[in-house]
Amino acid sequence: MKLIRTIAVAGLLLAAGFAVPRLCATEIPQAERRSGYTFMSPDTKAIQDDDTANPGMLWVLDGEALWKRKTGTADKACADCHEDARASMKGLAARYPAYDKTLGRPVNLEQRINLCRAQHQQATPLPYESRDLLALTAFVAQQSRGMPITAGADPQLEPFVAKGRDTFMRRQGQLNLGCTNCHNDNWDKHLAGSAVTQALPTGYPLYRLEWQSLGSLQRRLRNCMTGMRTQIYDYGAPELVELELYLMSRAHDMPIETPAVRP
Amino acid sequence: MASALINVPKKAKRGDIIEIKTLMSHIMETGYRRTATGELVPRDIITSFSCRYNGVEVFRADLFPAIAANPFITFFTVATESGKFDFEWIGDQGFTETASAAISVE
């Protein structure tokens, strides 16, 4: 309620032509960080905890099949170079988005998979949010389950983390909200009955009950941007990757939950 | 690549009540939604699920459009003898999927 009141008051002040006082943007102390999991009902937690009840595992299984399937003009499977994903992909998702030397900017896991497809399999890139790309990403990320997030630790990424932080802190859109106004200042409150949460992306790609499907972090970010009534970045836009990177760096040391379940 | 996730205990004592969990990959399109251009998206759901225990049907369910995607169905049965559970999902547009799981009863 307080949040809604604040927005309403801010709106009134704007309409009246007053200067709006900046809401304080305090970052969440390390010890108070909580995964989105802790905000869920016991029923939803039970779905995530049981691999035979977690629908995200359907994508992981598909991903495992795709991992071994030969594709592209090179007629190579992921497994032909990387062999057993259980060993070669362990801990990888905890480091992503990571710096790509040739591009000179960070790439997320989906982009890395598509780069690998283009360069080594000579295959066409998979479209964002397609079942195959989500499946491969979920399969690769699941190999890091339980491992601490280290994304953003690379010093080359510093300017990109800073840019992501700027996007997170900047007020934008018709509602004139920054991500921080909900996820740093009001994470312990509710918005239309749903927990606001701390925006710590520990389990992507994750199965969202609302979507009835697996989805990427970028899909989630675009959802939030629709809610803020701001200009939505395209899938794969550098701004979205930088935001992903900053969010992952905020979740430093928290364990990967992929494939997580969220309401 | 439709696939099922089945959870049946590998072992049980005779007379035990056991829980069986099944998860089937399916979009469960209701038939009530429209595309951006106003055309109705045709219904595509699972309409029936059944489980046979050594050939004898122990559970059956009818499914309807209000059921969410990737239906998760769990139920209980009594472990009577070692053998096999056969699961079958039937749906619109010729959808059929089967899966099975073995159990040993002591």
Side-chain angles (χ1 to χ4, degrees):
Chain A
M1 260 332 278
K2 194 183 158 202
L3 174 66
I4 293 163
R5 223 181 300 138
T6 316
I7 297 166
V9 169
L12 281 173
L13 285 173
L14 259 185
F18 288 106
V20 183
R22 282 187 83 86
L23 293 178
C24 58
T26 43
E27 285 175 49
I28 303 165
Q30 292 274 314
E32 280 174 41
R33 290 181 312 166
R34 288 166 52 184
S35 156
Y37 177 87
T38 63
F39 293 84
M40 303 199 300
S41 72
D43 286 346
T44 319
K45 284 180 182 171
I47 304 176
Q48 178 172 324
D49 292 342
D50 179 354
D51 273 352
T52 53
N54 182 343
M57 290 306 290
L58 296 168
W59 276 259
V60 172
L61 289 178
D62 280 358
E64 191 171 6
L66 286 171
W67 183 262
K68 293 172 191 151
R69 183 180 301 167
K70 292 185 189 298
T71 185
T73 34
D75 199 31
K76 270 192 194 169
C78 309
D80 289 341
C81 293
H82 298 291
E83 295 170 10
D84 188 359
R86 268 160 261 278
S88 61
M89 296 294 125
K90 196 174 161 74
L92 185 97
R95 300 196 295 271
Y96 267 75
Y99 189 76
D100 183 276
K101 277 203 181 76
T102 29
L103 291 174
R105 59 178 167 84
V107 294
N108 65 17
L109 204 49
E110 286 89 343
Q111 290 172 321
R112 167 58 62 216
I113 288 169
N114 269 336
L115 282 170
C116 218
R117 278 177 69 84
Q119 289 163 5
H120 304 296
Q121 295 179 306
Q122 273 126 53
T124 45
L126 297 166
Y128 285 105
E129 302 308 296
S130 63
R131 186 164 179 110
D132 284 3
L133 185 57
L134 287 171
L136 269 174
T137 313
F139 174 65
V140 169
Q142 196 236 358
Q143 311 309 324
S144 308
R145 187 144 73 168
M147 298 184 70
I149 292 170
T150 57
D154 181 351
Q156 292 178 99
L157 286 172
E158 234 167 73
F160 300 98
V161 177
K163 275 197 222 169
R165 187 175 185 279
D166 279 353
T167 311
F168 190 83
M169 296 293 175
R170 191 177 67 239
R171 284 179 178 275
Q172 48 189 317
Q174 289 181 322
L175 297 184
N176 196 31
L177 281 172
C179 312
T180 180
N181 298 129
C182 285
H183 298 292
N184 275 344
D185 300 343
N186 291 291
W187 59 263
D188 52 347
K189 300 185 181 66
H190 286 75
L191 189 59
S194 305
V196 171
T197 78
Q198 299 182 344
L200 297 166
T202 49
Y204 284 91
L206 56 72
Y207 192 90
R208 204 162 169 226
L209 301 180
E210 185 189 309
W211 293 337
Q212 299 191 26
S213 166
L214 206 74
S216 70
L217 176 52
Q218 296 210 349
R219 179 172 178 187
R220 188 68 194 84
L221 294 175
R222 285 163 52 96
N223 275 185
C224 245
M225 288 175 166
T226 307
M228 289 157 69
R229 297 193 213 158
T230 178
Q231 188 88 35
I232 301 169
Y233 297 114
D234 286 336
Y235 280 109
E239 291 88 346
L240 275 185
V241 179
E242 285 155 13
L243 192 52
E244 268 187 81
L245 176 64
Y246 171 63
L247 294 179
M248 286 295 273
S249 74
R250 277 170 91 238
H252 187 81
D253 262 352
M254 294 176 76
I256 295 264
E257 294 169 40
T258 311
V261 175
R262 294 290 182 268
Chain B
M1 276 193 295
S3 51
L5 285 171
I6 309 288
N7 186 353
V8 174
K10 285 194 177 64
K11 279 186 195 167
K13 285 201 187 92
R14 197 175 306 275
D16 270 1
I17 296 170
I18 53 167
E19 186 175 18
I20 294 170
K21 300 181 192 175
T22 68
L23 181 65
M24 169 48 72
S25 177
H26 199 284
I27 56 166
M28 297 296 282
E29 182 59 55
T30 62
Y32 296 117
R33 297 198 307 163
R34 286 172 193 277
T35 62
T37 51
E39 288 153 78
L40 209 58
V41 181
R43 193 184 89 163
D44 182 8
I45 64 168
I46 295 173
T47 49
S48 150
F49 166 77
S50 68
C51 169
R52 281 174 295 130
Y53 184 8
N54 286 340
V56 182
E57 186 172 288
V58 291
F59 185 85
R60 166 175 290 280
D62 290 334
L63 287 85
F64 295 93
I67 293 170
N70 308 314
F72 177 58
I73 300 172
T74 77
F75 53 94
F76 295 88
T77 189
V78 177
T80 51
E81 57 193 352
S82 296
K84 209 169 84 166
F85 286 96
D86 288 297
F87 305 92
E88 188 177 35
W89 295 260
I90 297 169
D92 294 334
Q93 301 177 22
F95 178 86
T96 61
E97 276 289 329
T98 55
S100 62
I103 185 168
S104 81
V105 176
E106 289 150 8

